Amino acid sequence: MSLNAALFPVASEIKTGDVDAMTDAEQNQGDDADALLQQKHAAMLQRLAIKEDARLQKFAARRADSLASVNPSESKDRFLQSFSEQFNQAEKNICSLQQKVSSEEDKSSIKRDLDQNAIKVLELEQFLAENSYFLPAYEVRASQSSISSLRMKLEHINAELVSKKKFTFKSKIAKNKNTTESSTLQASEPSQVSDSDAGKVNDPPYSVIGAPDRSKSRDDSESSESLHSRSSCMIRDMENSTIVRDLKNQEDSEIILQNLINCSVYIRGVYRAMYAHNLRGCKVFSGPITGSSLIEEIEECTMMLASQQIRIHNAKMSDMYLRVRSRPIVEYTERVRFAPYAFTYSGIENDLSFANLHEETGLWEHVDDFRWLRAIPSPNWSVLPEEERIGLVDGSSLEL
C-alpha cells in the first residue's frame, strides 16, 4: 500500500465512487439518447405514413375523377349504357318513320328522314367497331345483332318506298295514255327531258322509277317535272358493254347497278345515292354522290366513287378509288385495295363543290372492317401501291 493511500484512505474511496457515479450518469445519458432517437424515428415514420396516406387519397381522388369523365369506350358498362341509349333512340326514330310510310303522311320528309336514320345506324356501327377491342365476344355479337335489326327495318322501309314509287309512276303513265295527244304533249313539257335522256328512258337497259312525292300538292300538272328531278336509273343484266350516263340537273336521282359482267360504266354529274349489286369484272367511274353508296357482291371490279358514306359488303379482289367524308365500312371482304379518287370530266369541280366533296379528306385509307374486331390491322383490305394504281380517268369525251 502506498503512503498516500495509507494516509488518505477516505479520499481514495471517494474518488472511486465518483468514477462509478460518472459511469452510471453517462450510461443514463446514453439510454436517454437512444430513447430520444427512437422517438424521433417513430415520429419520422408517422410523418411519412401521413404523407403516404395523403398521396394515396389524392391518387384515389384523381382516379375517381378520371373514371367519372372517362370515355365510354374505356368501360364495358359505360359502353353498354351509351350503346343502349343510342340504339333505343334510333329504334324509336325508325318506328316513327315506319308509321309515316304506312299512313302515307308527310311524304316530303320521308326520304330525308330515311337518310338521316341510315347515318345514325352507321354511326352506331362505327361506335361498336371503335370499342370492340375490349368487349367480350358475346357483347359484340349481341350489339351486331341489334344493329342488324335496325338495318333490316330501314331496308324494309326503303323497299316499301320503292314499291310506292313504281305504282305511282305506272298510274301516271296510264293516266297520260288515256288523255288526248295534245294534253300528253302539254303535260310532258315541264319535265324538260332532252332527246338523249328520253332515248335512255326508253332504252331496254334503263328503267326509270318515280321517287316518292316530295311536294304537298298531288296535282298531275306538276308530276312530270317532279318525276324527272327525282328519278332513279337502273342499269342491269348487261355484259361486255360500255354505259355512259349524264345526270345534269338530276341531283335527287339514284343509280342502281345490278347483274353486270365485264361492263364499263361512266356516270357524269351529281346524284343522291348509288346501289351496286352483283358486279363481275366491271369498271365504274362515278361523279359525286351527295348521300350514301352501298356496294354488294362484287368481284374483280374497279370502282371510283366520291360519296358522303360508302359501305361495302361481300367484295373480293377489287380496287376502290374513293373520296369520302366518313370512314369507309367493309364487311366480308377479301383482298380489297383502296386508293384516292381519280376520275374527272368537264365540270366535275363544280359538282364536287356542290356535293361538299371538293376537298380530299384522306379517309379513303382509314377503313373500318366490321368483321375484324381485333386491335391489329385487318388482313381483308390494304392500300393499293402507287405503282399499281391507274392514272386519272377522263370521261369528258365519252359519248352517250
Side-chain angles (χ1 to χ4, degrees):
M1 177 181 297
S2 65
L3 180 61
N4 291 334
L7 294 175
F8 307 101
V10 175
S12 178
E13 291 178 1
I14 292 173
K15 290 181 179 180
T16 303
D18 291 342
V19 172
D20 293 340
M22 291 176 63
T23 302
D24 292 339
E26 291 177 354
Q27 184 175 1
N28 291 335
Q29 290 180 355
D31 292 341
D32 292 341
D34 290 341
L36 182 61
L37 182 62
Q38 291 178 358
Q39 290 177 0
K40 289 182 178 180
H41 182 69
M44 181 183 67
L45 292 178
Q46 185 177 6
R47 288 195 301 272
L48 291 176
I50 293 175
K51 290 183 177 179
E52 180 66 12
D53 290 340
R55 187 187 69 83
L56 292 176
Q57 290 177 2
K58 289 181 180 180
F59 176 78
R62 287 196 301 267
R63 182 173 177 81
D65 293 339
S66 176
L67 291 175
S69 60
V70 75
N71 189 286
S73 62
E74 299 178 4
S75 166
K76 185 188 76 171
D77 293 336
R78 291 179 179 274
F79 166 81
L80 293 177
Q81 179 181 358
S82 179
F83 181 88
S84 178
E85 292 174 355
Q86 295 182 55
F87 174 82
N88 292 336
Q89 184 61 47
E91 188 175 39
K92 180 180 178 181
N93 293 340
I94 292 175
C95 290
S96 177
L97 182 60
Q98 180 63 61
Q99 292 176 358
K100 289 183 180 180
V101 176
S102 301
S103 60
E104 299 186 357
E105 295 179 1
D106 197 12
K107 291 293 186 62
S108 61
S109 64
I110 289 179
K111 201 64 181 177
R112 182 181 66 253
D113 291 346
L114 183 62
D115 291 340
Q116 291 177 351
N117 280 280
I119 292 174
K120 291 298 182 182
V121 173
L122 287 176
E123 291 176 351
L124 193 60
E125 288 176 320
Q126 186 170 355
F127 179 63
L128 173 61
E130 291 173 350
N131 297 280
S132 58
Y133 68 93
F134 71 91
L135 294 174
Y138 69 89
E139 293 290 1
V140 174
R141 289 193 297 268
S143 300
Q144 288 176 334
S145 178
S146 299
I147 294 174
S148 296
S149 66
L150 295 179
R151 193 186 308 122
M152 290 178 63
K153 291 179 180 179
L154 288 176
E155 291 174 355
H156 176 74
I157 293 174
N158 187 64
E160 189 171 351
L161 283 177
V162 171
S163 64
K164 291 179 181 294
K165 293 177 189 178
K166 293 181 179 180
F167 175 77
T168 304
F169 179 59
K170 291 179 180 179
S171 64
K172 290 176 182 177
I173 292 179
K175 182 177 292 186
N176 286 335
K177 286 183 178 180
N178 292 332
T179 59
T180 62
E181 182 177 357
S182 60
S183 63
T184 302
L185 292 174
Q186 184 178 2
S188 63
E189 288 177 359
S191 65
Q192 301 177 355
V193 180
S194 65
D195 293 339
S196 59
D197 287 338
K200 284 182 174 44
V201 171
N202 294 325
D203 194 31
Y206 300 98
S207 174
V208 179
I209 307 171
D213 189 0
R214 295 176 181 267
S215 62
K216 294 183 179 180
S217 173
R218 298 177 181 270
D219 189 359
D220 289 338
S221 63
E222 301 177 359
S223 62
S224 181
E225 183 177 3
S226 300
L227 176 61
H228 171 67
S229 63
R230 300 190 306 270
S231 63
S232 297
C233 174
M234 179 177 288
I235 306 172
R236 65 180 182 182
D237 303 326
M238 301 181 68
E239 296 186 23
N240 305 315
S241 301
T242 298
I243 305 104
V244 181
R245 187 76 169 101
D246 267 333
L247 299 176
K248 186 177 181 180
N249 299 324
Q250 298 186 50
E251 293 82 5
D252 199 35
S253 60
E254 298 176 353
I255 293 293
I256 301 174
L257 309 177
Q258 190 170 9
N259 303 333
L260 303 180
I261 300 177
N262 298 328
C263 292
S264 296
V265 182
Y266 299 84
I267 304 170
R268 297 182 297 225
V270 184
Y271 58 103
R272 190 180 64 81
M274 168 183 278
Y275 173 63
H277 177 72
N278 194 24
L279 276 57
R280 299 290 183 271
C282 293
K283 296 180 179 180
V284 178
F285 308 98
S286 170
I289 303 168
T290 59
S292 58
S293 302
L294 177 59
I295 315 300
E296 293 185 318
E297 302 287 348
I298 67 170
E299 186 172 348
E300 297 183 351
C301 292
T302 297
M303 305 191 73
M304 290 192 180
L305 306 175
S307 182
Q308 296 293 322
Q309 302 96 25
I310 296 176
R311 181 158 188 161
I312 304 168
H313 292 267
N314 296 310
K316 296 181 180 179
M317 297 178 289
S318 296
D319 293 337
M320 311 296 296
Y321 293 75
L322 307 181
R323 180 175 295 184
V324 63
R325 293 191 62 82
S326 61
R327 296 164 68 102
I329 296 174
V330 299
E331 288 185 289
Y332 302 104
T333 59
E334 180 181 347
R335 295 169 60 185
V336 176
R337 303 186 300 179
F338 291 84
Y341 186 66
F343 181 51
T344 187
Y345 56 83
S346 179
I348 190 173
E349 293 301 329
N350 291 333
D351 291 344
L352 288 170
S353 179
F354 177 86
N356 197 24
L357 290 165
H358 54 288
E359 295 182 356
E360 174 57 72
T361 63
L363 291 174
W364 58 267
E365 61 179 335
H366 297 281
V367 181
D368 287 331
D369 187 349
F370 279 7
R371 305 305 301 179
W372 184 261
L373 303 177
R374 302 179 186 178
I376 60 176
S378 168
N380 301 320
W381 68 273
S382 62
V383 173
L384 180 61
E386 292 189 14
E387 61 273 14
E388 298 183 27
R389 300 174 187 175
I390 61 178
L392 184 67
V393 178
D394 192 344
S396 302
S397 60
L398 296 171
E399 297 182 359
L400 298 173

